[in-house]
Amino acid sequence: MRICFLFNHDQVHQVAHSLPIALALADRAPGVEVILAPTNPTIQTEVVRLAGSRLRDNLILHPLDLHRRRSKILAALTEMFAPARKLLVYGDNLDFFRSLDVLVVAEKTSLLLKTRYGLDQLKIIHTRHGAGDRAIGFDPVSAQFDHVLVPGEKVRSRLIADAQVDPDRISVVGYPKFDLHGMSRPHALIDNGRPVVLYNPHVSPHLSSWYKMGRQVLDWFIDHDEFQLIFAPHVMLFERRFTLTIDKFRIDRPGRIEERYLRAPNIHIDLGSRASSNMTYTNRADIYLGDVSSQIYEFLLNPRPCVFLDAHETDWVDDKNYAHWRAGPVINDPACLGDALSEAMRDPGGRYAAAQKHLLDDTFDLTDTPSSVRAAEAVARVGGFTLSAPEARSARRINA
C-alpha cells in the first residue's frame, strides 16, 4: 500500500493541514509506505523541518519537479501572474501518481489526475486547508473527491447541502493543524503592555480589505500608537506582482509596503514568514482585525475580541459565507476603527462572546483523541486497512 501526501503550493501554509496526518499514519501503519511529496524547495524545507528524524523506515520524502522542457518554459513565463507550475506538475509525474493507491491533498487541483489524466483508480482524499466560510470551499468540485476530511459539523453540513457530497464520503476528524501549532509560543518581539491587534487581510481582490482600504488601516495605527499592530496578511497576498482569482475572475496589484509603515515603531510587518501560518500571531494577538480569512477560526480557539472590515458593501447578515462576521463589529470605513475596537473589547451584553462560542463549537469537533490520529484512521478506512498501536517514536513532539 502506497499513500502519498502531496504538498503542491507556492507557500507553506497548507503543510500543517496534512503533514500531522501523515506522521500519525506512519506511526500506526508500519506496513504502509507513507510518501511525502513536496513540489518546490520552500515546502520541502518546511516538511523536512517538521518531520525531522521521523523521515525513515516507512515515511519517505519524494520531491516532485517539472521534467518536460515545455513545462519549465511555460511555468517561467506565467509565474508573475498565475501558478502554472502547480498544474503542470501532475502531467510531468504521471508514472509516480499511477504507482499510488491513495493520494492525500489539501487543495483541489489534484483532481486533474482524474478529470484530465484518467487516473480513476487512484483514491484522492481532501483534507481541506482551513475551516472558513467562503463559498469556494463548498463548490461542487468537492464532490469529486473519494473522501473529504472535515473539522466539524459546519463544514460537513455545507458540503452535503451546497456541494452535494455523499455523507458517506465525509469524515469529521477535528483540526490536525492544532496538533502541530495549537500551543505555539507568543511572539517574542511584542511584549510592551499595549493591546496587540492582528490585521490579517485575505488575498482575493473581490473579498479582501487590503486593496481598497489596507493602507488606510495602517495609517490609522500609525496615528494610534496605543495599539501594537501585527500586519500579517494571507501569505499569498504579496507572493506575486499581480493577484488573480478564478472563483470570481479578478486581477489586482497588492502594491508595495511604503517606508512609513516599515519604520513605524508600533507596527510589525510579516508578509509571509513561517510565523504567518503556524498560529504564532493568532495565538499572540489580543484582537483580530480581518475580512474573510479562515485564520479567524484559528484565532477563536481562544476567543477574544474581533473586528471585521467590509470593503465591498456586502449584504452579509444572513449570508452563511460571512458567518464569522457575527464574532465582532463590522465596519466599512477605517476611520471607525477606534469605536469598533472599543465595542469589541467592551462587548456590551456579551453578544459577541456568545456568537464566538457558537461559531467555535460548530466549526471544530475536538476530542481527547488527537485530530491527526482521527484523520489517519479515516485515511486507513479509505485504504482498506486498520491502524495498529503507535510505535514509540510517535511520542516525540513535532517541532512547531
Side-chain angles (χ1 to χ4, degrees):
M1 174 71 66
R2 285 166 54 87
I3 300 180
C4 175
F5 287 75
L6 178 66
F7 304 96
N8 187 21
H9 211 286
D10 299 289
Q11 272 283 3
V12 302
H13 60 295
Q14 295 185 3
V15 171
H17 294 287
S18 58
L19 181 61
I21 307 170
L23 299 179
L25 186 65
D27 287 340
R28 293 162 174 80
V32 171
E33 189 175 350
V34 180
I35 302 165
L36 308 179
T39 59
N40 67 54
T42 299
I43 296 179
Q44 180 174 334
T45 298
E46 182 70 353
V47 168
V48 170
R49 186 185 72 85
L50 291 170
S53 62
R54 298 166 79 164
L55 282 168
R56 58 182 178 85
D57 302 333
N58 67 325
L59 185 64
I60 300 163
L61 184 71
H62 186 98
L64 298 179
D65 205 347
L66 300 180
H67 303 297
R68 295 177 296 184
R69 183 172 179 270
R70 64 180 180 179
S71 295
K72 295 177 181 179
I73 293 173
L74 183 57
L77 290 175
T78 60
E79 181 62 25
M80 183 184 298
F81 305 99
R85 179 187 174 86
K86 67 182 292 187
L87 303 177
L88 294 166
V89 76
Y90 299 110
D92 279 25
N93 293 275
L94 283 177
D95 286 343
F96 169 75
F97 290 114
R98 288 192 186 101
S99 75
L100 304 174
D101 299 292
V102 179
L103 180 66
V104 184
V105 297
E107 41 64 54
K108 297 177 180 178
T109 59
S110 56
L111 288 171
L112 285 171
L113 291 169
K114 290 180 179 289
T115 60
R116 180 171 180 176
Y117 296 111
L119 273 64
D120 295 328
Q121 300 305 311
L122 176 62
K123 296 179 180 178
I124 305 181
I125 300 175
H126 193 208
T127 69
R128 303 175 60 85
H129 55 277
D133 302 314
R134 292 195 304 137
I136 193 173
F138 306 97
D139 64 357
V141 174
S142 294
Q144 298 178 31
F145 287 99
D146 296 278
H147 208 79
V148 185
L149 309 181
V150 302
E153 182 56 33
K154 176 191 77 176
V155 176
R156 178 184 179 276
S157 297
R158 286 197 62 183
L159 283 175
I160 295 170
D162 298 354
Q164 287 75 56
V165 178
D166 183 344
D168 291 338
R169 293 190 174 193
I170 303 174
S171 292
V172 176
V173 299
Y175 203 61
K177 183 175 180 177
F178 288 157
D179 296 350
L180 198 61
H181 299 313
M183 298 302 293
S184 63
R185 295 180 294 277
H187 200 285
L189 293 177
I190 303 170
D191 188 18
N192 53 25
R194 290 176 287 182
V196 177
V197 179
L198 169 62
Y199 178 34
N200 175 227
H202 199 261
V203 59
S204 299
H206 64 289
L207 297 169
S208 176
S209 60
W210 171 252
Y211 304 93
K212 292 186 177 181
M213 60 176 63
R215 289 169 179 82
Q216 297 175 58
V217 171
L218 299 187
D219 284 334
W220 190 93
F221 281 98
I222 286 180
D223 294 336
H224 293 81
D225 62 1
E226 67 270 25
F227 293 96
Q228 181 79 36
L229 180 70
I230 301 172
F231 176 49
H234 191 289
V235 294
M236 295 303 296
L237 180 56
F238 290 89
E239 181 72 11
R240 294 184 174 87
R241 288 178 59 188
F242 294 90
T243 300
L244 174 70
T245 56
I246 58 175
D247 54 328
K248 288 189 177 181
F249 185 80
R250 297 288 191 280
I251 186 168
D252 211 329
R253 293 184 62 179
R256 55 183 293 272
I257 303 298
E258 288 83 351
E259 191 67 25
R260 68 181 183 276
Y261 305 133
L262 297 172
R263 292 185 176 182
N266 67 320
I267 298 180
H268 174 74
I269 296 176
D270 188 336
L271 303 185
S273 81
R274 185 183 300 137
S276 294
S277 56
N278 70 3
M279 295 184 62
T280 292
Y281 297 139
T282 53
N283 285 342
R284 172 62 187 94
D286 302 301
I287 304 165
Y288 182 91
L289 175 64
D291 34 61
V292 300
S293 173
S294 65
Q295 285 197 40
I296 176 59
Y297 285 103
E298 296 174 8
F299 178 84
L300 289 179
L301 181 63
N302 175 21
R304 286 152 287 168
C306 305
V307 174
F308 301 99
L309 295 164
D310 178 6
H312 305 279
E313 299 182 354
T314 309
D315 183 13
W316 64 270
V317 174
D318 295 317
D319 189 339
K320 56 191 173 183
N321 299 310
Y322 294 87
H324 54 288
W325 281 10
R326 294 196 291 267
V330 180
I331 61 174
N332 54 23
D333 186 347
C336 300
L337 269 169
D339 291 340
L341 290 167
S342 296
E343 180 184 346
M345 290 186 288
R346 190 174 67 251
D347 192 8
R351 167 189 170 191
Y352 301 123
Q356 289 180 11
K357 183 180 187 307
H358 171 76
L359 289 166
L360 186 68
D361 292 344
D362 196 32
T363 300
F364 298 120
D365 182 304
L366 304 176
T367 70
D368 291 338
T369 302
S371 298
S372 55
V373 174
R374 296 166 67 189
E377 291 170 344
V379 172
R381 287 194 295 272
V382 174
F385 62 94
T386 57
L387 301 184
S388 60
E391 296 183 2
R393 63 176 174 167
S394 67
R396 292 201 292 271
R397 186 179 183 276
I398 302 171
N399 295 319

